[in-house]
Coordinates of all heavy atoms in Angstrom, one line a residue:
Y599 N 42.6 -4.9 -29.1 CA 43.6 -6.0 -29.3 C 42.8 -7.4 -29.4 O 43.1 -8.2 -30.2 CB 44.6 -6.0 -28.2 CG 45.4 -7.3 -28.0 CD1 46.4 -7.6 -28.9 CD2 45.1 -8.2 -27.0 CE1 47.1 -8.7 -28.8 CE2 45.8 -9.3 -26.9 CZ 46.8 -9.6 -27.7 OH 47.5 -10.8 -27.6
C600 N 41.9 -7.6 -28.4 CA 41.1 -8.8 -28.4 C 40.3 -9.0 -29.7 O 40.1 -10.1 -30.2 CB 40.2 -8.9 -27.2 SG 41.1 -9.0 -25.6
Y601 N 39.7 -7.9 -30.2 CA 38.9 -7.9 -31.4 C 39.8 -8.4 -32.6 O 39.4 -9.4 -33.3 CB 38.4 -6.6 -31.7 CG 37.8 -6.4 -33.1 CD1 36.5 -7.0 -33.4 CD2 38.4 -5.8 -34.1 CE1 36.0 -6.9 -34.7 CE2 37.9 -5.7 -35.4 CZ 36.7 -6.2 -35.6 OH 36.1 -6.1 -36.9
M602 N 41.0 -7.8 -32.8 CA 41.8 -8.2 -33.9 C 42.4 -9.6 -33.7 O 42.4 -10.4 -34.6 CB 43.0 -7.2 -34.0 CG 42.6 -5.8 -34.4 SD 44.0 -4.8 -34.8 CE 44.8 -4.8 -33.2
T603 N 42.8 -9.9 -32.5 CA 43.4 -11.3 -32.2 C 42.3 -12.4 -32.3 O 42.6 -13.5 -32.7 CB 44.1 -11.3 -30.8 OG1 44.9 -10.1 -30.7 CG2 44.9 -12.5 -30.7
C604 N 41.1 -12.0 -31.9 CA 40.0 -13.0 -32.1 C 39.8 -13.4 -33.5 O 39.6 -14.6 -33.8 CB 38.7 -12.4 -31.5 SG 37.4 -13.5 -31.2
N605 N 39.8 -12.4 -34.4 CA 39.7 -12.7 -35.8 C 40.9 -13.5 -36.3 O 40.7 -14.5 -37.1 CB 39.6 -11.4 -36.6 CG 38.3 -10.7 -36.4 OD1 37.2 -11.4 -36.2 ND2 38.3 -9.4 -36.4
Q606 N 42.1 -13.2 -35.9 CA 43.3 -14.0 -36.3 C 43.2 -15.4 -35.8 O 43.5 -16.4 -36.5 CB 44.5 -13.3 -35.7 CG 44.8 -12.0 -36.4 CD 45.9 -11.2 -35.7 OE1 46.5 -11.7 -34.7 NE2 46.2 -10.0 -36.1
L607 N 42.7 -15.6 -34.5 CA 42.5 -16.9 -34.0 C 41.5 -17.7 -34.8 O 41.8 -18.9 -35.0 CB 42.1 -16.8 -32.5 CG 41.8 -18.1 -31.8 CD1 43.1 -18.9 -31.6 CD2 41.2 -17.8 -30.4
E608 N 40.4 -17.1 -35.2 CA 39.5 -17.8 -36.0 C 40.1 -18.3 -37.3 O 39.9 -19.5 -37.7 CB 38.3 -16.9 -36.3 CG 37.2 -17.6 -37.2 CD 36.1 -16.6 -37.5 OE1 35.2 -16.4 -36.7 OE2 36.1 -16.1 -38.6
E609 N 40.9 -17.4 -38.0 CA 41.5 -17.8 -39.2 C 42.5 -19.0 -39.0 O 42.7 -19.9 -39.8 CB 42.2 -16.6 -39.8 CG 41.3 -15.6 -40.4 CD 40.4 -16.2 -41.5 OE1 40.8 -17.0 -42.3 OE2 39.2 -15.9 -41.4
K610 N 43.3 -18.9 -37.8 CA 44.2 -19.9 -37.5 C 43.6 -21.3 -37.3 O 44.0 -22.3 -37.8 CB 45.0 -19.5 -36.3 CG 46.3 -20.4 -36.0 CD 47.3 -20.0 -37.0 CE 48.6 -20.7 -36.7 NZ 49.7 -20.5 -37.7
I611 N 42.5 -21.3 -36.6 CA 41.8 -22.6 -36.4 C 41.2 -23.1 -37.7 O 41.3 -24.3 -38.0 CB 40.6 -22.3 -35.4 CG1 41.2 -21.9 -34.0 CG2 39.8 -23.6 -35.2 CD1 40.1 -21.6 -33.0
R612 N 40.7 -22.2 -38.5 CA 40.1 -22.6 -39.8 C 41.2 -23.2 -40.7 O 40.9 -24.1 -41.5 CB 39.5 -21.4 -40.5 CG 38.1 -21.0 -39.9 CD 37.5 -19.9 -40.7 NE 36.2 -19.6 -40.2 CZ 35.1 -19.4 -41.0 NH1 35.2 -19.5 -42.3 NH2 33.9 -19.1 -40.4
S613 N 42.4 -22.7 -40.6 CA 43.5 -23.2 -41.5 C 44.0 -24.6 -41.0 O 44.6 -25.3 -41.8 CB 44.7 -22.2 -41.5 OG 45.3 -22.2 -40.2
R614 N 43.7 -24.9 -39.7 CA 44.2 -26.2 -39.2 C 43.1 -27.3 -39.2 O 43.4 -28.5 -39.3 CB 44.6 -26.0 -37.7 CG 45.8 -25.1 -37.5 CD 47.1 -25.8 -38.0 NE 48.3 -25.1 -37.6 CZ 48.9 -25.3 -36.4 NH1 48.5 -26.2 -35.6 NH2 50.0 -24.6 -36.1
I615 N 41.8 -26.9 -39.1 CA 40.8 -27.9 -38.9 C 40.4 -28.5 -40.3 O 40.7 -28.0 -41.3 CB 39.5 -27.2 -38.3 CG1 38.6 -28.2 -37.6 CG2 38.7 -26.4 -39.4 CD1 37.6 -27.6 -36.7
D616 N 39.8 -29.7 -40.2 CA 39.4 -30.4 -41.4 C 38.4 -29.5 -42.2 O 37.6 -28.8 -41.6 CB 38.7 -31.7 -41.1 CG 39.7 -32.7 -40.4 OD1 40.9 -32.5 -40.6 OD2 39.2 -33.7 -39.8
E617 N 38.4 -29.7 -43.5 CA 37.7 -28.8 -44.4 C 36.2 -28.9 -44.2 O 35.5 -27.9 -44.2 CB 38.0 -29.2 -45.9 CG 37.3 -28.2 -46.9 CD 37.8 -28.5 -48.3 OE1 38.6 -29.4 -48.5 OE2 37.3 -27.8 -49.2
E618 N 35.6 -30.1 -43.9 CA 34.2 -30.2 -43.7 C 33.7 -29.5 -42.4 O 32.5 -29.3 -42.2 CB 33.8 -31.7 -43.7 CG 34.4 -32.5 -42.5 CD 35.7 -33.1 -42.9 OE1 36.3 -32.7 -43.9 OE2 36.2 -34.0 -42.1
L619 N 34.6 -29.2 -41.5 CA 34.3 -28.5 -40.2 C 34.6 -27.0 -40.2 O 34.3 -26.3 -39.2 CB 34.9 -29.2 -39.0 CG 34.6 -30.7 -38.8 CD1 35.5 -31.2 -37.7 CD2 33.2 -30.9 -38.5
R620 N 35.2 -26.6 -41.3 CA 35.7 -25.2 -41.3 C 34.6 -24.2 -41.1 O 34.9 -23.2 -40.4 CB 36.4 -25.0 -42.7 CG 37.3 -23.8 -42.8 CD 38.2 -23.9 -44.0 NE 39.1 -25.0 -43.8 CZ 39.8 -25.5 -44.9 NH1 39.6 -25.0 -46.1 NH2 40.6 -26.5 -44.7
E621 N 33.5 -24.4 -41.7 CA 32.4 -23.4 -41.6 C 31.8 -23.3 -40.2 O 31.1 -22.4 -39.9 CB 31.3 -23.7 -42.7 CG 31.8 -23.5 -44.1 CD 32.3 -22.1 -44.4 OE1 31.8 -21.2 -43.9 OE2 33.4 -22.0 -45.1
K622 N 32.0 -24.3 -39.4 CA 31.5 -24.4 -38.1 C 32.3 -23.5 -37.1 O 31.9 -23.3 -35.9 CB 31.3 -25.8 -37.6 CG 30.3 -26.6 -38.4 CD 30.2 -28.0 -37.8 CE 29.2 -28.8 -38.6 NZ 29.0 -30.2 -38.0
V623 N 33.5 -23.2 -37.5 CA 34.4 -22.4 -36.6 C 33.9 -20.9 -36.7 O 34.0 -20.3 -37.8 CB 35.8 -22.5 -37.0 CG1 36.7 -21.6 -36.1 CG2 36.3 -24.0 -36.8
D624 N 33.4 -20.3 -35.7 CA 32.9 -18.9 -35.8 C 33.1 -18.2 -34.4 O 32.6 -18.6 -33.4 CB 31.4 -19.0 -36.1 CG 30.8 -17.6 -36.3 OD1 31.6 -16.6 -36.3 OD2 29.6 -17.5 -36.4
L625 N 34.0 -17.2 -34.5 CA 34.3 -16.4 -33.3 C 33.9 -14.9 -33.5 O 34.3 -14.1 -32.8 CB 35.8 -16.5 -33.0 CG 36.4 -17.8 -32.6 CD1 37.9 -17.7 -32.3 CD2 35.6 -18.4 -31.4
Q626 N 33.0 -14.7 -34.5 CA 32.6 -13.4 -34.8 C 31.7 -12.8 -33.7 O 31.8 -11.6 -33.5 CB 31.8 -13.3 -36.2 CG 32.7 -13.5 -37.4 CD 33.8 -12.4 -37.4 OE1 33.6 -11.2 -37.3 NE2 35.1 -12.9 -37.4
S627 N 30.9 -13.6 -33.1 CA 30.1 -13.1 -32.0 C 31.0 -12.5 -30.9 O 30.7 -11.5 -30.3 CB 29.2 -14.2 -31.4 OG 28.5 -13.8 -30.3
Q628 N 32.1 -13.2 -30.6 CA 33.0 -12.8 -29.6 C 33.7 -11.5 -30.0 O 33.9 -10.5 -29.2 CB 34.0 -13.9 -29.2 CG 33.5 -15.0 -28.5 CD 32.5 -15.9 -29.3 OE1 32.7 -16.1 -30.5 NE2 31.5 -16.4 -28.7
A629 N 34.1 -11.5 -31.3 CA 34.8 -10.3 -31.8 C 33.9 -9.0 -31.8 O 34.3 -8.0 -31.4 CB 35.2 -10.5 -33.3
D630 N 32.6 -9.3 -32.1 CA 31.6 -8.1 -32.0 C 31.4 -7.7 -30.6 O 31.3 -6.5 -30.3 CB 30.3 -8.6 -32.6 CG 30.3 -8.7 -34.1 OD1 31.2 -8.1 -34.7 OD2 29.5 -9.5 -34.6
A631 N 31.5 -8.6 -29.6 CA 31.3 -8.2 -28.2 C 32.5 -7.4 -27.8 O 32.3 -6.4 -27.0 CB 31.2 -9.5 -27.3
F632 N 33.7 -7.7 -28.2 CA 34.9 -6.9 -27.8 C 34.8 -5.5 -28.5 O 35.1 -4.5 -27.8 CB 36.2 -7.6 -28.3 CG 36.6 -8.8 -27.4 CD1 36.7 -10.0 -28.0 CD2 36.8 -8.6 -26.1 CE1 37.1 -11.1 -27.2 CE2 37.1 -9.7 -25.3 CZ 37.3 -10.9 -25.8
M633 N 34.2 -5.4 -29.7 CA 34.0 -4.1 -30.3 C 33.0 -3.3 -29.5 O 33.0 -2.1 -29.4 CB 33.6 -4.3 -31.8 CG 33.6 -3.0 -32.5 SD 35.1 -2.0 -32.5 CE 36.2 -3.1 -33.4
G634 N 32.0 -4.1 -29.0 CA 31.0 -3.4 -28.1 C 31.6 -2.8 -26.9 O 31.2 -1.7 -26.5
I635 N 32.6 -3.5 -26.3 CA 33.3 -3.0 -25.1 C 34.1 -1.7 -25.5 O 34.2 -0.8 -24.8 CB 34.1 -4.1 -24.5 CG1 33.2 -5.2 -23.9 CG2 35.0 -3.5 -23.4 CD1 34.0 -6.4 -23.4
A636 N 34.7 -1.8 -26.7 CA 35.5 -0.6 -27.2 C 34.5 0.6 -27.3 O 34.9 1.7 -27.0 CB 36.1 -1.0 -28.5
S637 N 33.3 0.3 -27.8 CA 32.3 1.4 -28.0 C 32.0 2.0 -26.6 O 31.9 3.2 -26.4 CB 31.1 0.9 -28.7 OG 30.1 1.9 -28.7
A638 N 31.7 1.1 -25.6 CA 31.4 1.6 -24.3 C 32.6 2.4 -23.7 O 32.4 3.4 -23.0 CB 31.1 0.4 -23.4
S639 N 33.8 2.0 -24.0 CA 35.0 2.7 -23.5 C 35.0 4.1 -24.1 O 35.3 5.1 -23.4 CB 36.3 1.9 -23.8 OG 36.2 0.6 -23.3
V640 N 34.7 4.2 -25.4 CA 34.7 5.5 -26.0 C 33.7 6.4 -25.4 O 33.9 7.6 -25.1 CB 34.5 5.4 -27.5 CG1 34.2 6.7 -28.2 CG2 35.7 4.7 -28.2
R641 N 32.5 5.8 -25.1 CA 31.4 6.6 -24.5 C 31.8 7.1 -23.1 O 31.4 8.1 -22.6 CB 30.1 5.8 -24.5 CG 29.6 5.6 -26.0 CD 28.4 4.7 -26.0 NE 28.0 4.5 -27.4 CZ 27.3 5.3 -28.1 NH1 26.8 6.4 -27.5 NH2 27.0 5.1 -29.4
M642 N 32.5 6.2 -22.4 CA 32.9 6.6 -21.0 C 34.0 7.7 -21.1 O 34.0 8.6 -20.2 CB 33.5 5.4 -20.3 CG 32.4 4.4 -19.9 SD 33.0 3.3 -18.6 CE 33.0 4.4 -17.2
L643 N 34.8 7.7 -22.1 CA 35.7 8.9 -22.3 C 34.9 10.1 -22.6 O 35.3 11.2 -22.1 CB 36.7 8.6 -23.4 CG 37.7 7.4 -23.1 CD1 38.5 7.1 -24.4 CD2 38.6 7.8 -22.0
V644 N 33.9 10.0 -23.4 CA 33.0 11.2 -23.6 C 32.4 11.6 -22.3 O 32.2 12.8 -22.1 CB 32.0 10.8 -24.7 CG1 30.9 11.9 -24.8 CG2 32.6 10.5 -26.0
A645 N 32.0 10.7 -21.5 CA 31.4 11.0 -20.2 C 32.4 11.8 -19.3 O 31.9 12.7 -18.5 CB 30.9 9.7 -19.5
K646 N 33.7 11.5 -19.5 CA 34.7 12.3 -18.7 C 34.6 13.7 -19.0 O 34.7 14.6 -18.2 CB 36.1 11.7 -18.9 CG 36.3 10.3 -18.3 CD 36.2 10.3 -16.8 CE 36.5 9.0 -16.2 NZ 36.4 9.0 -14.7
V647 N 34.4 14.0 -20.3 CA 34.3 15.4 -20.7 C 33.0 16.0 -20.2 O 33.0 17.2 -19.7 CB 34.3 15.5 -22.3 CG1 34.2 17.0 -22.7 CG2 35.6 14.9 -22.8
Q648 N 32.0 15.3 -20.2 CA 30.7 15.8 -19.7 C 30.8 16.1 -18.2 O 30.2 17.1 -17.7 CB 29.6 14.7 -19.9 CG 28.3 15.0 -19.3 CD 27.5 16.1 -20.1 OE1 28.1 17.0 -20.6 NE2 26.2 16.0 -20.1
I649 N 31.5 15.3 -17.5 CA 31.6 15.5 -16.0 C 32.4 16.9 -15.8 O 32.0 17.7 -14.9 CB 32.4 14.4 -15.3 CG1 31.5 13.1 -15.4 CG2 32.7 14.7 -13.9 CD1 32.2 11.9 -14.9
A650 N 33.4 17.0 -16.6 CA 34.2 18.3 -16.5 C 33.4 19.5 -16.8 O 33.7 20.6 -16.3 CB 35.5 18.2 -17.4
C651 N 32.4 19.3 -17.7 CA 31.6 20.5 -18.2 C 30.4 20.8 -17.3 O 29.7 21.8 -17.5 CB 31.1 20.2 -19.6 SG 32.4 20.1 -20.9
E652 N 30.2 20.0 -16.3 CA 28.9 20.1 -15.5 C 28.9 21.5 -14.8 O 27.8 22.1 -14.8 CB 28.8 19.0 -14.5 CG 27.7 19.1 -13.5 CD 26.3 19.4 -14.2 OE1 26.2 19.0 -15.3 OE2 25.4 19.9 -13.5
P653 N 29.9 22.1 -14.3 CA 29.8 23.4 -13.7 C 29.3 24.5 -14.7 O 28.5 25.4 -14.4 CB 31.2 23.7 -13.2 CG 31.8 22.4 -12.9 CD 31.3 21.5 -14.0
S654 N 29.8 24.3 -15.9 CA 29.4 25.3 -17.0 C 27.9 25.1 -17.3 O 27.2 26.1 -17.5 CB 30.3 25.1 -18.2 OG 31.6 25.3 -17.9
W655 N 27.5 23.9 -17.4 CA 26.1 23.6 -17.7 C 25.2 24.2 -16.5 O 24.1 24.7 -16.8 CB 25.8 22.1 -17.9 CG 26.4 21.5 -19.1 CD1 27.2 20.4 -19.2 CD2 26.2 21.9 -20.4 NE1 27.5 20.2 -20.5 CE2 26.9 21.1 -21.3 CE3 25.5 23.0 -21.0 CZ2 26.9 21.2 -22.7 CZ3 25.5 23.1 -22.4 CH2 26.2 22.2 -23.2
R656 N 25.7 24.0 -15.3 CA 24.9 24.5 -14.2 C 24.8 26.0 -14.3 O 23.7 26.6 -14.0 CB 25.6 24.1 -12.9 CG 24.8 24.4 -11.6 CD 25.5 24.1 -10.3 NE 25.9 22.7 -10.3 CZ 27.2 22.2 -10.4 NH1 28.2 23.1 -10.4 NH2 27.4 20.9 -10.3
E657 N 25.9 26.7 -14.7 CA 25.8 28.2 -14.8 C 24.8 28.5 -15.9 O 24.1 29.5 -15.7 CB 27.2 28.7 -15.2 CG 27.3 30.2 -15.4 CD 28.6 30.7 -15.7 OE1 29.6 29.9 -15.7 OE2 28.8 31.9 -16.1
M658 N 24.8 27.8 -17.0 CA 23.8 28.1 -18.0 C 22.4 27.9 -17.5 O 21.5 28.8 -17.7 CB 24.0 27.1 -19.2 CG 22.9 27.2 -20.3 SD 23.1 26.0 -21.6 CE 21.6 26.3 -22.6

Side-chain angles (χ1 to χ4, degrees):
Y599 164 76
C600 291
Y601 168 76
M602 294 187 301
T603 313
C604 191
N605 289 326
Q606 296 170 2
L607 177 64
E608 179 182 282
E609 290 301 319
K610 192 71 172 177
I611 297 175
R612 286 183 173 224
S613 67
R614 295 287 192 91
I615 203 167
D616 294 342
E617 186 174 357
E618 62 271 15
L619 300 175
R620 194 165 296 163
E621 295 303 321
K622 295 183 179 180
V623 178
D624 185 6
L625 298 180
Q626 284 307 303
S627 175
Q628 289 68 37
D630 289 336
F632 284 123
M633 187 55 67
I635 294 173
S637 174
S639 302
V640 170
R641 293 174 183 278
M642 289 198 71
L643 292 174
V644 173
K646 290 294 181 181
V647 181
Q648 174 72 327
I649 293 172
C651 294
E652 175 52 24
S654 301
W655 292 125
R656 187 183 303 113
E657 181 181 351
M658 174 186 175

